[in-house]
Amino acid sequence: MAASPLKPQDSTRSHERTVTVVWPSISAGPWGQWLGRLYSNRFGFPIGGVPLTLGRLMTLLTAPIGAVLYLVRKAPRWPLVLVGTVNTAGVRYRVTTQRLLIENPFEKDATPVAALPLDGFDEVKAEVQPGQDWYHAADVVLLERGVERLRLAGVPRPEPFMRTVMKTQQAAAINRPAKDAARQAGHEVIVAI
């Protein structure tokens, strides 16, 4: 039998599966939040039944700035998409069957910037920062006994994401005793969540 070219994986992570992946919106940073506050300005008047507000006008005028902020988070390399250094601003949030990760998917080794096991928090809440409401985004904060353990900035549509995190945590807690018993007996168990 030929030797495997793959490196051996950590046995605790060998059955880790991705549940969901979320990319932060531009409201994760201060410039995106500033634009969101600008766009939320409702000063104006209706013309022909269509409300013409300062916020809508500024949306049109500053669209190139928003596009650049978006591309800064999504481009794999900087300053050009294919040429340059790895973009460290391009992070994503990944929920797995064992933990939550903040990772830069553009790095070769894909080591997490931050990680929190699913049993490392007991509360999930959304904090809407100024300017994030225009994007329908919020910072998702994971707490353990009231102490912040991890903050995911600028999560778009945070309510479904928070429900997924809580359901994944509950499923992992239910499956943990069965997995531990099977491992002690020497069996390999894969439990789908």
Side-chain angles (χ1 to χ4, degrees), residues 107-151:
E107 293 180 358
K108 286 183 182 178
D109 61 356
T111 55
V113 176
L116 181 67
L118 288 177
D119 59 358
F121 61 93
D122 54 19
E123 182 183 358
V124 179
K125 68 178 187 176
E127 290 182 1
V128 180
Q129 302 299 323
Q132 287 182 335
D133 56 345
W134 191 84
Y135 299 101
H136 303 286
D139 289 359
V140 173
V141 183
L142 303 149
L143 305 160
E144 183 177 36
R145 294 187 208 108
V147 177
E148 182 177 316
R149 296 290 311 273
L150 187 65
R151 177 177 292 264

Side-chain angles (χ1 to χ4, degrees), residues 2 16 18-19 21 24 42 55 72 74 79 88 96 107 114 162 184 189:
E16 186 172 24
T18 299
V19 176
V21 174
R42 299 203 182 276
V72 163
K74 300 291 193 268
T88 57
T96 72
E107 293 180 358
M162 291 174 14
Q184 287 177 354
V189 176

Side-chain angles (χ1 to χ4, degrees), residues 31-46:
W31 286 103
Q33 291 174 11
W34 178 78
L35 287 175
R37 286 192 299 272
L38 186 66
Y39 299 160
S40 296
N41 190 331
R42 299 203 182 276
F43 177 75
F45 50 88

